[in-house]
Amino acid sequence: MNPTPVIETIGLSKTYGKTDAVSGLNLRVMPNCITAFLGLNGAGKTTTIKMLLGMIRPSGGEARVLGRQIDSSDESVELRRSVAYVSESQRLYDYMTVAQIIRFTRSFYPAWCADTEKTLLRMYELPPNRKIKSLSKGMRRKLALLLAFARKPDLLILDEPSDGLDPVGIEQLLETLVSQCSTGTSIFFSSHQIAEVERVADRVCMIHKGRLVMDASLDEVRESYRQIDLVFNALPDEYELRMPGVERIESRGHQVRMIVSANAESVIERARAYYPSSTEVSPIGLREIFLDRVKEN
Amino acid sequence: MLWYKAWLETRARFLISLFGILFLCSYCVLHLEQEAVPGTLLSYYNYVLTEGYGMLVMMWVLAVTLLMMGGLLREHALGSASFTLGLPVSRRRLMMVRVGVGALEASAIAIIPTASMCVIASIWGKPFSLSQNLFHLVLLLAGGAFFFAIALLVSSVVRGEYTAPVVALGVLLLIAVTLGDQKMRLFSPLEFMLGGEYFNRSSSLLVGPIPWVRAGLWVCLAALLTWVAVRVVDRKEF
Amino acid sequence: MFFKLNTSIGQPFYVQLMQQIRHAAESGALQDGDQLPGIRTLAEELVVSPNTVARAYSELEHEGLLELRQGSGAFLTIKRRARGLTERVQAASRKVEDLIEELHQEGLQDNEIWRLFETALFHRAEIGAE
């Protein structure tokens, strides 16, 4: 009942001189899911993605994308037949027109979907005979997305796809992501827009300083991540409240604030033994979790 | 479609070079004889031919150097490399297509002007010699292959839009100056292209058999440099 | 029907969808035999992962409230028993209103009542889950 991951890395590392861009990354991205890849700038997201696509050679570890080894040049070409990639701030060929680059890209993909091409051309209002050089930043972004979506890839890797898009463009992008996913494409995208991630993603992987710091489904996050605020007359030792699932404890005067990733009920039960004068449980958003993880490390 | 892309990228440079050189070659054939030393009709034309080729060699080397700028490194600087490298094509293949299109264009810039010189001479009733033209062309293409490969290599190492051609032209100048010395001439691709060694001053003709072996050696050296360039790009991380 | 998903109430989207469909069935907004939008259509409309909608539908099918037909969508199958729920929900709603009124009179603010409810329900849900 365990489907093969579309992306699987085992101890994947990349070192530049003495700095570790990615260190010992173990990542699993499941098929038919929308997986978000979160991290600060310089956390190692882009390096990871470029390693997956064979643009950067790993310093250590191994990885498979759609079951193919990424460090073999031939396998890498093969896997790119079924993967579409739009990088952060990707530029296209300035000297081509919209129609020309569509024709150019189409020639590499036998499964090219003319319907998607037409729909998106209309939705994004891209003028076919305009030179790419004269398109606005947002239009170029949309064209890059069109070229990725129309390939009918098995796996779509997007690095900051909403960068440069206006709110309407972002909404259209998310809708397209959803419709691609429902036709069987697995999606792996990095983003700084936590609100959009929270809405559309099935799973979240968080990377910080080249390491994976969280891998959870959003259902899990909504169901089990809680912030517990307690007020005690006599503050118990922090140690007493430490138990599995407690991610962070902070105390200020008589107040204790805890962030738990699981077992909220047992944590509350334990806290009750110290007679809190107030117990408050509230759900916690992805944004808070993200900031917390980044701060912690 | 990679060929189409490579063609679109170099089209403007190629056409400008081709028509520029065509114009200069026609000018040579039609007007240079006035500057020639008086003598027979044949030596007029031979003078024209040698001068014409001298000019063609210089212009050709310049044009090919500019023509071979660009490629993945440049695309990386512009930001479109991640799109190109996302396509199901290996870097080696991308390079080979560039070399292929470049070689075709470089040959065209040599062959078309040569042919035009013959045609113009015959239309205006001037003497011409097919075998002399062919001799010049072989020297030009074989020695030129080296400069072609140098330009490719520079474009695979230096990424700037202006720095790359400047470096390439610097290398060119360096080769011309250091190997231009009397003792080093044998090793200079430029001297080989100009054909000074085979040139007979009294008849203004290239004499002797076409030096196929030395031509082959220059082509081999060019192939080696091309291979190095392909390896360099293949090893690059971006 | 209209759906509304809330990211800040600490409940998975699929659970929210299930509750809203159940509620619509109980309140009569949806009738027996009514068709719900397809998974893809609803996912695109709500801009959520299609897996979310698929999970909600399949759990409701498991409960017997929905019937999924290959290619033609999801249909509501409301059994007689569900009808009685309408009255019960209405009665419960009156009780809750009374209680809130009572707590107001004791000087509690809306947001304090809200938190009490949330904590109490959460407490129950966790025990139920174990």
Side-chain angles (χ1 to χ4, degrees), chain A residues 14 50 54-57 73 77 80-81 83 85 87 89-93 95-96 100-101 103-105 107-109 147 151, chain B residues 1-2 4-6 8-9 11 75-76 78-92 234-238:
Chain A
K14 179 66 193 178
K50 289 198 164 178
M55 297 179 189
I56 294 179
R57 270 181 304 283
S73 166
V77 171
R80 272 182 271 142
R81 288 186 204 288
V83 176
Y85 166 53
S87 75
S89 66
Q90 184 169 70
R91 295 286 298 242
L92 300 163
Y93 311 130
Y95 50 85
M96 286 194 189
Q100 274 175 329
I101 200 163
R103 211 167 345 119
F104 170 76
T105 312
S107 72
F108 295 94
Y109 302 94
L147 294 174
R151 289 174 202 188
Chain B
M1 283 302 255
L2 285 176
Y4 175 63
K5 170 178 180 283
L8 285 184
E9 275 167 1
R11 180 170 66 175
E75 279 195 33
H76 179 53
L78 289 172
S80 62
S82 71
F83 178 77
T84 309
L85 293 172
L87 298 170
V89 188
S90 67
R91 289 179 187 220
R92 224 162 300 161
D234 209 26
R235 307 284 308 167
K236 277 256 163 21
E237 299 202 77
F238 52 72

Side-chain angles (χ1 to χ4, degrees), chain B residues 165-181:
Chain B
V166 165
V167 169
L169 292 174
V171 172
L172 217 114
L173 204 65
L174 199 70
I175 290 171
V177 170
T178 55
L179 299 180
D181 185 70

